[in-house]
């Protein structure tokens, strides 16, 4: 792959090794490479910044532990009690109303106050009083002996690399909590940037041929990320389809690569000539760079999602050999390849539908087991693959969902939305493996021990990337203490 | 956390030189932000509690009621330190008003005091009332009668004072292009570029062009948050259906140069200002856009926030939970403003010739519940209203000196009872007449049916019918009759078995084609299978056509069923009306029978009728048996022509089969017909009545009588309806009793009103948007409050009062920004205390005064701005004096024009326009934003769910908030502009057109023409050379076959030139 009319330092014919990447990264921070573009873009977006509010310059604030993030989000609400937070008491008290159990006080109004209702009188998102027994068994895995449900045996087998957080809470009892998990703000609040956009905003690029922030799979309610940071920080939506991976990736007409190369070359030559007339126009420089990146992206992106160099055993690891696991497995394999090539933030959502597939108001056992099967092997495969390639140390994997599900039953065989306590996990990127952090009460109702609001996950992630959340801000926009969160130090390695 | 307020107030000062002692505390970065966060909201300019302010060291030393707050060098004696360290009642911040300072923060303060309270010089923040933006405008006419544009006079003087040179003017062609793009959003054509008239004439022509309204409407649509409706499926959740009426109103208002004050009045209170003017009411689309199904507080929050930001440049939203931290706006102010909007709701008003509100309707607001009380939500929580004190409607106290009195408004009938508008009654009447025709047809059909049945004794079977008979009980497998596909078929005496459960084709095709109308019986047992366990009989098939009609049973465990289905273009369709649940069981023999006549099929299972269904169409073709995910034993099949005597049931409704049923059906049809007649009669007399009222030619008494006749007809219609209901429910004794009771009452009522007549009750003519998802539209009344509170009108009059210091300033700032790329006041939606006095406040005020004095005329304002020499300056910095570049690199003194990127809409419209492909039709409903569209981009559906992907790449307006567009530069824009179908196809068109014009084979001529058309300038020699090289290189490519192709690609490259998407 070559690019017309560019200095040779910008040409990359091979995916960057970690070292090369680091070097390019440091060099570009001095003003020549992608960072320069980034800085120009930032300048465009914050033309009025006062001296103390300059946007980040693309360098981490302190030595980072992680380079990339793979963000896996299960849309709809995974039952914490049937995945990573076993509650045998549910089986013991099955059929009783919560009021009849020793845990009646979980429903005291004071404890339920945090919830902010979006949809008034909704049929869902209600208190469910009749205890519903566990629908799946649990086993202990690894040296740590952490229990994981039988629906996630492969993830269980990687538990010694994983830190489970069993004490998450949020405040939206409806699926707008997906927005909340990504941005930290409730659906009824103004929209603010998502965590991926902040990472994109805060850090420089590791590969000048690829976007920094990629999303795959269905989107959540809110369809953009950058918000007041601007569309430059939105995720670029990709499909695992080398023929058509992103919007306008290929000419929608009969234009050959050779013609295009000459065309792009002409555009940049002419733009540079215009630079004589407008020597202090920063947009012109940025425009020239954007054409160079666009030209390279056209081949670089499809190259990454072409799996022909991957061995049969790697494909199998991600479940590409099985129908149920193939679709998600392909996205995860692409994620690894993107991470390997220096993409900062790879966001993958699982579970289609308006609310998200994991939304089992009924039929929990059948549907949850089916959905778990789609993701379990690919995710375990990803962790194993990252580890054997020596990438897990620098790649932070997050497994999350918008909320948990009620201890009580809904429509006889399901569970309702539950924001008061639920589980997520993190692995790699300097996170300690084999630990279960925090806890909910005996019936999985409230996060009781070291409760964590959703932005604590963001704070931890930024911390591992070497960023001070407090130093990421944009002119004219106030961030709340809650937007910033607190680093969960207990799970750091 | 950083506190924006102090950053702004020290903005113009250099920070103190870092002290040589490394340990010394930096007041500006360490102390001041802390005090700002914890203390300023009470001890700052806004509140000054206990007369104490802490915003500067001087103010701290002076102190308040309790004496000095600090004693430099003496922390122990400093009141400030004592109070923040206290854990008693005098602790600061007080309980509930902020968390106490952490120990390290206290230590920091202590150390700073001990060091002697070092700080640089500080500016004392102004008193809120002294804030620049809150000062009244001086509206007296300009005093100086110096010739020339006042903008230039002001700026020239300032530039010369600052020692900054003014750049040379732009070339005439650059200026013309700039004017076209700024004023109408389209580039000039070749002849327009070469227009020799004086510029003022061109400006006037552009300002009077209808496209000027389209161009500037899009700007205001950004600020006013235009969004088409969105929701889930057909469920409306946000904004309003048909909101495009408001978009058209914006365009039309600008094109007729309606005053901005009048526009605001119509947007906030058009229904109150002129309740009978459609135009005025259409303006309220501004408020209707904020509709939110799920949460009234969210809805009103949006209304308050964006009304304040758009018109006043105030961030009222910050005062929802607590008093504003930076501006003199209290939480009470917030809820007093909410009380202005509390009564209003949204509805669709009727439009002529249409009674279906999904098809047409005018979104508007109106005061619905005028007695609804507003309470302050404690901490912004709607669950905690402070019921001790209902909020009275009002404007923020700081600007209340010119508050307008609220006067309730008596509404005319057309407003509170839209069902009395003549055109509404006329369209209902037209619909009623169609219903009469339909009901009459039904009655005749019912009578015919009864007559047929009663004369059935008369024999009629002598006619010839097709005689088809086929029967097979599979004693043997006759391969001349059956053609088997797939390897799962097995035959043993009496049974043809499908033994392989698969979704692949396994069919037994009957080689004898059945007649068009046939009656089929099949006996079989589903013996097993995977998921669906379906046994299917297909017919009307031809080879590989992907076409079939079929009937099948499924023994799928959770939901076994019988289904009539069909396949078109290889897509299977399973219509719900062709489906019935039935316990089809594995291992149990079933008999499936179906009879088909034309497209109507009747299905029986195990001898019982189960489904009547109408196929969309039929074809001739063969029949086959198969299993799908199933194993099955077919025991026998019998097919014969369908006898003409066989009565099939109609799909959807029951058809009578006996004389008695037929007789009953006639009664029902007849009473329904009578009810439709009564309905039409009622509407007709209502129309007479309202028309008479409108014309006022008849006497009052006569008009009263007409209204009473309509009242009579209304009662008669109700009676006819009840009679119809009684007929329908003749066999349901319980219902009948209730109906009979109502019948009696209605008859009594009719007798009464014959004695003392009453006027009619209006019909429902509008469609109120649901207040919450729990509501149903039909629970809402037909008429609304006869009084509007007048709150919104009083508020609008306050916003547009010429004493309001904000409204005109905010508006001219928006206009200025869109002509110059940089606003005069940087925070376009926040003119509050955090917004420092702009460098060109005099210019801002001059423009605002001109604007108000011209009758709030945007056309006047545009003309004033674009006729200025300042606007006509060149944007180049190539020859700028080095002084300019060092003294004013950001062009604050406007010594040159700023280069700006076109907005997304202008890019797309321009590309189409240059190719001669832009459809300039104006107005109408929003269109689908697909790549095929040729209309101007402003007409695209624009909502959360519908956006044009090309426009999105270039920072399209965010529907939630867009006071200023971003101008990002990202690689996806390069991809969109080089790879989109739009760009490729339009390049071909432009190249073709240009080539025809140029009529020269020389590349150089084509290059010149392309530059002239797309960039509005000739190429330089260097550019020509580079382009000629491109032509030569292209010729050598093997992929390139023609000069046409080269020219197209060249045009495409020039469309990708930065100078094309840039307004220079």
């Amino acid at each position: 792959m070559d690019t017309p009319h560019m200095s040779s330092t910008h040409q990359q014919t091979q995916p960057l090794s970690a070292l090369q990447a680091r070097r390019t990264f440091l060099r570009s921070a001095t003003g020549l490479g992608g960072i320069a573009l980034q800085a120009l873009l930032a300048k465009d977006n914050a033309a009025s910044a006062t001296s103390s509010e300059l946007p980040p310059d693309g360098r981490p604030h302190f030595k980072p532990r992680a380079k990339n993030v793979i963000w896996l989000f299960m849309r709809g609400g995974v039952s914490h009690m049937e995945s990573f937070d076993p509650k045998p008491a549910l089986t013991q008290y099955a059929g009783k109303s919560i009021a009849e159990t020793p845990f009646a006080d979980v429903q005291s109004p004071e404890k339920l106050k945090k919830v902010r209702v979006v949809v008034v009188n909704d049929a869902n998102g209600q208190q469910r009083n009749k205890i519903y027994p566990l629908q799946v068994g649990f086993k202990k895995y690894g040296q740590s002996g952490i229990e994981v449900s039988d629906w996630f045996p492969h993830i269980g087998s990687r538990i010694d690399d994983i830190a489970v957080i069993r004490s998450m809470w949020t405040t939206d009892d409806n699926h707008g909590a997906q927005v909340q998990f990504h941005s930290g703000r409730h659906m009824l609040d103004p929209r603010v940037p998502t965590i991926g956009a902040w990472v994109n905003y805060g850090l420089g690029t590791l590969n000048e041929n690829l976007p920094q922030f990629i999303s795959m799979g269905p989107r959540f309610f809110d369809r953009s990320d950058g918000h007041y940071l601007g569309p430059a920080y939105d995720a670029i939506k990709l499909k695992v389809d080398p023929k058509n991976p992103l919007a306008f990736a290929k000419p929608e007409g009969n234009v050959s690569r050779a013609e295009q190369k000459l065309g792009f070359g002409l555009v940049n030559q002419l733009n540079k000539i215009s630079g004589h007339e407008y020597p202090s126009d920063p947009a012109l420089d940025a425009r020239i760079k954007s054409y160079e990146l666009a030209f390279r992206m056209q081949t670089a992106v499809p190259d990454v999602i072409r799996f022909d160099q991957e061995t049969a055993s790697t494909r199998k690891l991600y479940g590409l050999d099985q129908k149920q696991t193939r679709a998600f497995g392909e996205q995860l394999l692409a994620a690894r390849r993107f991470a390997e090539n220096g993409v900062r933030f790879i966001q993958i959502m699982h579970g289609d539908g308006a609310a998200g597939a994991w939304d089992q108001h009924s039929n929990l056992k059948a549907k949850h087991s089916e959905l778990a099967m789609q993701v379990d092997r690919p995710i375990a495969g990803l962790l194993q693959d990252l580890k054997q390639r020596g990438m897990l140390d620098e790649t932070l994997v997050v497994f999350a969902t918008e909320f948990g599900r009620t201890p009580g039953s809904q429509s006889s065989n399901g569970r309702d939305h539950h924001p008061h306590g639920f589980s997520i996990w993190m692995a790699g990127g300097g996170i300690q493996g084999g630990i279960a952090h925090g806890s909910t009460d005996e019936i999985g109702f409230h996060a009781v021990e070291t409760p964590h609001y959703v932005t604590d996950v963001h704070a931890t992630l930024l911390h591992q990337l070497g960023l001070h959340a407090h130093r990421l801000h944009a002119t004219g926009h106030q961030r709340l203490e809650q937007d910033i969160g607190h680093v969960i130090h207990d799970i750091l390695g | 956390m950083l506190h924006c307020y102090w950053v702004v107030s020290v903005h113009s000062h250099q920070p103190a030189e870092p002290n040589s002692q490394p340990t010394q505390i930096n007041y500006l970065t360490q102390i001041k932000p802390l005090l700002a966060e914890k203390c300023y909201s009470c001890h700052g300019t806004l509140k000054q509690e206990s007369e104490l302010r802490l915003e500067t060291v001087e103010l701290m030393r002076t102190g308040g009621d309790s004496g000095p707050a600090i004693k430099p060098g003496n922390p122990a004696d400093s009141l400030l330190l004592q109070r923040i360290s206290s854990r008693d009642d005098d602790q600061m911040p007080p309980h509930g008003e902020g968390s106490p300072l952490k120990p390290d923060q206290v230590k920091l303060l202590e150390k700073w005091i001990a060091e002697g309270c070092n700080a640089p010089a500080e500016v004392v923040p102004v008193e809120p009332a002294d804030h620049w933006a809150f000062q009244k405008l001086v509206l007296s006419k300009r005093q100086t009668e110096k010739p020339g544009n006042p903008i230039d006079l002001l700026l020239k003087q300032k530039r010369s004072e600052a020692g900054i040179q003014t750049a040379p003017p732009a070339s005439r062609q650059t200026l013309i292009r700039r004017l076209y793009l700024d004023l109408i959003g389209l580039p000039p054509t070749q002849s327009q570029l070469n227009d020799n008239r004086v510029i003022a004439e061109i400006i006037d022509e552009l300002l009077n062009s209808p496209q000027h309204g389209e161009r500037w409407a899009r700007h205001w649509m950004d600020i006013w948050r235009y969004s088409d409706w969105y929701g889930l499926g057909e469920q409306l959740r946000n904004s309003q259906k048909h909101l495009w009426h408001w978009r058209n109103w914006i365009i039309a208002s600008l094109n007729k140069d309606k005053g901005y004050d009048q526009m605001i009045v119509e947007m906030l209170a058009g229904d109150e200002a002129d309740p009978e003017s459609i135009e005025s009411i259409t303006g309220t689309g501004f408020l209707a856009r904020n509709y939110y199904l799920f949460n009234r507080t969210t809805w009103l929050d949006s209304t308050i926030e964006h009304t304040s930001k758009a018109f006043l440049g105030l961030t009222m939203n910050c005062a929802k939970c607590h008093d504003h931290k930076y501006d003199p706006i209290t939480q009470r102010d917030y809820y007093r403003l909410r009380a202005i909007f509390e009564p209003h709701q949204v509805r669709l008003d009727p439009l002529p010739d249409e009674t279906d509100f999904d098809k047409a309707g005018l979104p508007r607001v109106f005061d619905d519940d005028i007695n609804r009380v507003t309470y302050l939500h404690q901490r912004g929580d709607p669950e905690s209203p402070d019921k001790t004190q209902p909020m009275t409607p009002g404007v923020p106290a700081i600007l209340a000196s010119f508050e307008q009195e609220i006067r309730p408004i008596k509404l005319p009938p057309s407003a509170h009872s839209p069902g009395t508008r003549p055109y509404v009654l006329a369209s209902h009447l037209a619909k009623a007449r169609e219903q009469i025709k339909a009901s009459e047809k039904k009655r005749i059909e019912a009578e015919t049916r009864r007559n047929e049945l009663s004369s059935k004794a008369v024999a009629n079977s002598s006619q010839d019918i097709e005689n088809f008979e086929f029967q097979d009980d599979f004693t043997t497998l006759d391969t001349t009759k059956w053609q088997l596909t797939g390897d799962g078929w097995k035959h043993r005496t009496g049974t043809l078995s499908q033994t392989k459960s698969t979704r692949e084709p396994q069919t037994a095709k009957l080689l004898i084609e059945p007649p068009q109308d046939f009656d089929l019986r099949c006996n079989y047992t589903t013996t097993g299978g995977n998921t669906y366990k379906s046994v299917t009989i297909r017919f009307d098939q031809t080879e590989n056509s992907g076409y079939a009609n079929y009937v099948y049973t499924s023994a799928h465990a959770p939901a076994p069923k019988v289904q009539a289905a069909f396949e078109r273009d290889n897509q299977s369709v399973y219509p719900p009306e062709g489906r019935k649940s039935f316990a089809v069981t594995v291992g149990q023999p079933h008999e499936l029978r179906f009879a088909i006549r034309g497209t109507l099929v009747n299905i029986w299972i195990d001898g019982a009728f189960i489904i009547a269904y109408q196929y969309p169409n039929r074809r001739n073709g063969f029949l086959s048996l198969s299993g799908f995910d199933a194993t099955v034993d077919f025991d026998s099949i019998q097919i014969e022509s369908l006898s003409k005597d066989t009565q099939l049931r109609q799909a959807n409704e029951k058809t009578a089969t006996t004389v008695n049923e037929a007789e009953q059906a006639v009664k029902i049809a007849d009473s329904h017909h009578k009810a439709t007649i009564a309905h039409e009669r009622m509407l007709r007399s209502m129309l007479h009545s309202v028309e008479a009222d409108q014309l006022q030619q008849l006497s009052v008494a006569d008009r009263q009588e007409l209204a009473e006749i309509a009242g009579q007809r209304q009662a008669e219609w109700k009676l006819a309806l009840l009679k119809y209901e009684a007929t329908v429910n003749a066999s349901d004794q319980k219902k009948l009793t209730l109906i009979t009771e109502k019948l009696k009452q209605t008859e009594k009522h009719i007798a009464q009103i014959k004695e003392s007549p009453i006027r009619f009750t209006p019909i429902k003519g509008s469609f109120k948007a649901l207040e919450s998802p729990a509501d149903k539209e039909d629970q809402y009344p037909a008429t609304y409050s006869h009084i509007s509170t007048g709150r919104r009108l009083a508020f609008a009059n306050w916003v547009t009062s010429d004493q309001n210091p904000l409204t005109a300033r905010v508006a001219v700032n928006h206009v200025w920004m869109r002509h110059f790329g940089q606003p005069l006041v940087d925070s376009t939606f926040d003119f509050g205390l955090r917004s420092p006095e702009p460098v060109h406040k005099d210019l801002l005020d001059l423009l605002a005064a001109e604007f108000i004095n011209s009758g709030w005329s945007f056309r006047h304002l545009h003309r004033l701005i674009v006729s200025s020499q300042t606007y006509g300056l060149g944007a180049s910095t190539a020859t700028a004096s080095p002084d300019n570049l060092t003294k004013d690199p950001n062009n604050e003194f406007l010594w040159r024009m700023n280069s700006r990127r076109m907005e997304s809409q202008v890019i797309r419209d321009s590309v189409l326009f240059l190719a001669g492909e832009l459809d300039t039709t104006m107005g109408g409903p929003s269109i689908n934003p697909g790549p095929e569209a040729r209309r101007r981009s402003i007409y695209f559906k624009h909502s959360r769910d519908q956006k044009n992907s090309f426009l999105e790449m270039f920072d399209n307006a965010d529907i939630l908030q867009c006071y200023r567009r971003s101008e990002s530069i990202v690689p996806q824009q390069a991809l969109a502009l080089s790879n989109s179908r739009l760009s490729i196809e339009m390049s071909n068109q432009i190249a073709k057109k240009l080539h025809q014009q140029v009529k020269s084979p020389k590349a150089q001529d084509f290059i010149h023409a392309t530059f002239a058309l797309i960039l509005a300038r000739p190429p330089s020699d260097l550019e020509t050379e580079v382009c000629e090289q491109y032509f030569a290189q292209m010729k050598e490519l093997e992929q390139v076959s023609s000069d046409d192709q080269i020219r197209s690609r060249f045009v495409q490259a020039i469309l990708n030139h930065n100078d094309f998407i840039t307004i220079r």
Side-chain angles (χ1 to χ4, degrees), chain A residues 430-448:
Chain A
I431 299 289
Q432 205 182 324
I435 55 174
H437 170 78
S439 67
T440 50
D441 53 41
E442 289 92 326
I443 56 168
F445 202 107
H446 291 286
V448 288

Side-chain angles (χ1 to χ4, degrees), chain B residues 610-815:
Chain B
I610 182 160
I611 292 167
Y613 173 71
Q614 201 96 35
Y615 285 105
N617 48 43
R618 298 274 316 271
R619 275 188 194 175
N620 289 328
F622 63 83
L623 181 141
S624 71
L625 309 177
S626 58
F628 180 80
D629 257 6
T631 58
V632 51
D633 288 349
F634 291 101
D635 298 323
S636 71
I637 181 163
Q638 175 193 326
I639 307 172
E640 47 190 54
S641 303
L642 180 63
S643 151
K644 289 214 162 127
D645 292 342
T646 310
Q647 295 291 336
L648 296 190
R649 294 199 202 197
Q650 288 302 312
N652 304 327
E653 61 185 72
K654 275 198 210 157
T655 298
T657 49
T658 66
V659 178
N660 273 349
E661 276 174 25
E663 200 62 63
Q664 174 63 11
V666 170
K667 282 184 191 154
I668 291 173
D670 188 53
S671 63
H672 183 244
H673 182 54
K674 283 182 177 139
T676 59
I677 290 173
H679 189 221
E680 193 269 353
R681 245 178 121 201
M682 170 193 84
L683 291 167
R684 192 152 27 102
S685 25
M686 284 182 183
L687 184 57
H688 287 159
S689 168
V690 297
E691 277 177 346
D693 278 346
Q694 228 176 32
L695 293 171
Q696 304 223 339
Q697 282 166 344
L698 298 179
S699 69
V700 174
D702 284 351
R703 281 192 266 139
Q704 176 68 18
E705 196 185 335
L706 278 176
E708 287 165 1
I709 291 171
Q712 178 81 21
R713 301 273 185 266
Q714 194 165 33
E716 285 163 6
W717 169 61
K718 276 183 192 151
L719 188 70
L721 262 189
L722 285 168
K723 282 182 178 163
Y724 165 60
E725 270 182 59
T727 325
V728 170
N729 294 294
S731 54
D732 186 335
Q733 203 47 53
K734 213 171 151 189
K735 274 191 189 164
L736 198 59
T737 316
L738 285 172
I739 297 167
T740 315
E741 184 51 38
K742 280 191 199 160
L743 260 171
K744 275 187 201 147
Q745 283 167 11
T746 310
E747 276 164 348
K748 215 166 118 194
H749 176 65
I750 290 177
Q752 271 169 5
I753 60 176
K754 269 188 183 139
E755 296 304 316
S756 47
I758 54 161
R759 299 175 68 92
F760 67 93
T761 319
I763 62 163
K764 191 185 250 190
S766 66
F767 187 93
K768 181 176 143 181
L770 299 184
E771 285 189 45
S772 91
D775 284 12
K776 297 257 185 301
E777 200 276 332
D778 55 16
Q779 85 198 34
Y780 296 144
T783 61
Y784 307 104
S785 165
H786 291 208
I787 301 286
S788 198
T789 59
R791 294 178 193 178
R792 285 179 286 112
L793 184 59
F795 175 70
N797 285 333
W798 169 82
V799 172
T800 57
S801 158
D802 59 13
Q803 296 190 72
N804 193 314
L806 292 165
T807 310
R809 283 189 175 115
V810 171
V812 300
N813 190 50
H814 274 298
V815 172

Side-chain angles (χ1 to χ4, degrees), chain A residues 41 44 48 188 223 231 236 248 252 254 259-260 271 274 277 279-281 284 287 291 293 298 479, chain B residues 1 292 298 826 876-878 945 955 967 969 971-973 979-981 1045 1049 1056-1059 1064:
Chain A
L41 301 179
D44 272 7
S48 60
L188 295 178
R223 288 163 207 210
I236 293 190
F248 305 115
E252 296 171 346
N254 195 17
E259 287 174 89
Q260 213 185 30
N271 279 338
S274 270
E277 186 71 17
S280 55
D281 183 356
L284 199 57
R287 178 81 49 209
Y291 272 78
L293 175 53
Q298 283 187 119
R479 295 190 74 191
Chain B
M1 191 185 318
Y292 181 50
T298 306
D826 210 53
S876 169
T877 49
D945 296 338
D955 311 296
E967 279 189 31
I969 299 170
Q972 300 95 286
Q973 292 166 354
N979 288 347
S980 66
R981 218 170 90 192
Q1045 194 180 341
R1049 295 297 171 264
N1056 278 271
H1057 197 302
N1058 188 55
D1059 284 354
R1064 292 290 191 192

Side-chain angles (χ1 to χ4, degrees), chain B residues 1012-1033:
Chain B
L1013 178 73
I1014 298 178
L1015 307 178
R1017 64 175 174 85
S1020 68
D1021 290 347
L1022 179 58
E1023 284 170 328
T1024 311
E1025 197 188 312
V1026 165
C1027 293
E1028 280 176 335
Q1029 265 172 25
Y1030 168 84
F1031 272 78
Q1033 287 168 325

